[in-house]
Amino acid sequence: MSFPYQIKSFEEYLEQYKISIEQPEKFWGGVAENFTWKKKWDKVLEWNFKEPRVRWFEGAKLNITENCLDRHLADKADQPAIIWEPNDPSQKNRILSYRELYISVCRFVQVLKNNGVRKGDRVCIYMPMIPELAIAVLACARMGAIHSVVFGGFSAQSIADRIEDAKCNIVITADGGNRGPKDIRLKSVIDEALQKTSYIQKVIVCKHLGNEVSMISGRDVWWHDELAKITQDEMPAETMDAEDMLFILYTSGSTGKPKGVVHSCAGYMIYTTYSFVNVFQYKPGDIYFCTADVGWITGHSYTIYGPLCAGATTIMFEGIPSFPDAGRFWDIVDKYKVNIFYTAPTAIRSLMGFGTEPLKNKSLQSLRVLGTVGEPINEEAWHWYDENIGRHRCPIVDTWWQTETGGIMISNLAGISHGKPSYATLPLPGIIPLLVDEKGHPVPGSDAGKDGVFRRDAKGDTVSGNLCIRFPWPSIIRTTYGDHERCRLNYFATYPDLYFTGDGALRDAEGNYRITGRVDDVLNVSGHRIGTAEVENAINMYPDVVESAVVGFPHDIKGQGIYAFVTLNRQHHVSGDDKTGVSKMVNQVIGAIAKPDKIQFVSGLPKTRSGKIMRRILRKIAEGEMENLGDISTLVDPTVVEEIKAGRL
Ligand code: WT7
């Protein structure tokens, strides 16, 4: 398979960018010609950002799994599609060829159907990083069921909330999974979740750890028992409309409960594949290793869908970077001769802490391209990655994107456009970023690519603003499940006719973007998005808590840590147990990933006369910027600020 749309030089990038902006329909229609369709589209694009309503490839019929699987059977049937590396290196790995993956998916479709799943149903998937997770995802897509994957680190309550919101009627899970030295008992978390919701009729349980689990008869069935009943190796793929929902993935925002981001079939397929092939400069035969869990969008787009559509060999790793030692990633790179390696800055920073000792005796010669995603990469981590992993031979692509964008939006293209430490650099073809000020006015000189030309030799200043996108791309969020108005309000209402990312950014004179971080009340902890409001709600469920305010603070490894200021009711005497209690409550309501790093009990929070908590002040204190807190005269009780400063952790 070749990729006629793969960009081969910087000049070609500029040229393609220009075409994509001037003639987007021609551009994306051209890319789409390289995919397998059951029926081609009538119209490439129809859109407005008011409602919003975005429709790509209207009239087309397809199934994404025919592109991920069937089309590769002719020439890649025996090529590994998925290489699975277990948590424990002494355990056996598994390699699934494209033929084997195809058959497994076809068989599992029948299992789903036998268990009552119909096209359009929502299926909750709560699994460890094992091939069955990819099989479950692809089987849903093949039969037109909508998957909602929930990361294995979320609590029973979080799962129950997501099940209810998406009205899922079936869960696919496993007895458990391994993460480093820990066993994660996924099935018991599901059992607990299902006590909180009555939507679920069936639970399919994959045996992985081999531990005892309780099976409720009539509700719970074993994956392998169900599979044993299947006799057919083939199962035709359901015909899907271009804009049919492909999946829901929950993500945190600045308000309320996590929202179900919806992606649809055709546009998502085109954009994840296009960006995979171009950003990483994938070459047929490459071994590709993305370390992200499939519970996050990176795993959806760049462990499963993008690489498989491109016919790549994708590695799924069950474990963590530091187990059994900090050389684990590099052993995997050497074991499979990985060419493209994609990870998160937080992983790099945590490995930096172990020094270069774990790198001794690692070859790393197979590596050609390195990537990062999830949060800004600080210069120190960038240089460490470049020097010690890439050995100055490998371009580093710093890929900025979001759950809502479906695929990489701003990034250098490996070996094609220049990287710049801590800069995501230039937009991909089809992406028109725009920086605006608080009032929504475009920041002069920030309108990259309006005419498809970057001002590479311009003498200008670096400008900053809130990062927006002016034009739809194929994998843009379509809606938030069950609540379209929420989608409009969150992304399209802040600035009329623009998609607002929630991020702040700088743009240098050459047109390179540097993402500076969220400008809303969303934290980025180890590359995971956490809404401060969500954490506060969880904390407030602890008995005796009156109220709380959660802010971020710079954290050496996680990027951002979680700092909680909490008031307890006056009769209550604060003890060490309260700290543990609050922490446990967050763990129970959201999951371990949202546990505060610091909890400070205070007698009051800084509030304005209208009762609004002044987060700006708390943020500064948490960051250690005790001087220069700005104007605090509007506070009802300015003395609490002194108390909070004095008690800072
Ligand atoms: C937020 C999206 C997209 C996959 C993982 C996270 C931050 C993401 C970068 C980057 C600076 C980045 C942004 C964004 N972010 N990539 N290369 N440089 N910041 O997906 O959970 O939807 O979070 O992650 O703040 O808005 P997500």
Side-chain angles (χ1 to χ4, degrees), residues 255-259 480 483-491:
T255 54
K257 291 204 166 168
K259 44 192 180 270
T480 44
D483 191 351
H484 193 62
E485 178 62 4
R486 196 166 175 204
C487 172
R488 190 186 70 82
L489 284 172
N490 255 290
Y491 308 104

Side-chain angles (χ1 to χ4, degrees), residues 298 374-376 398-403 503 515 518 524 529:
T298 309
E375 51 177 317
D398 177 353
T399 65
W400 173 82
W401 57 296
Q402 311 178 293
T403 305
D503 281 324
I515 313 301
R518 304 288 306 194
N524 191 327
R529 232 156 105 172

Side-chain angles (χ1 to χ4, degrees), residues 126 173-177 183-190 209 211-213:
Y126 187 69
T173 189
D175 53 357
D183 282 357
I184 316 281
R185 303 294 165 109
L186 297 166
K187 174 62 165 62
S188 36
V189 183
I190 288 294
L209 282 188
N211 54 311
E212 276 293 310
V213 297

Side-chain angles (χ1 to χ4, degrees), residues 153 155 582-593 595:
S155 68
V582 166
S583 182
K584 272 194 180 150
M585 185 56 84
V586 176
N587 188 29
Q588 197 183 318
V589 176
I590 306 175
I593 54 171
K595 278 204 280 190

Side-chain angles (χ1 to χ4, degrees), residues 262-298:
V262 171
H263 283 290
S264 59
C265 295
Y268 178 82
M269 169 178 84
I270 301 295
Y271 196 77
T272 52
T273 312
Y274 177 84
S275 51
F276 172 75
V277 164
N278 278 299
V279 170
F280 299 108
Q281 287 291 304
Y282 170 76
K283 306 271 179 298
D286 277 350
I287 307 293
Y288 166 83
F289 178 19
C290 167
T291 67
D293 193 288
V294 172
W296 309 106
I297 190 70
T298 309

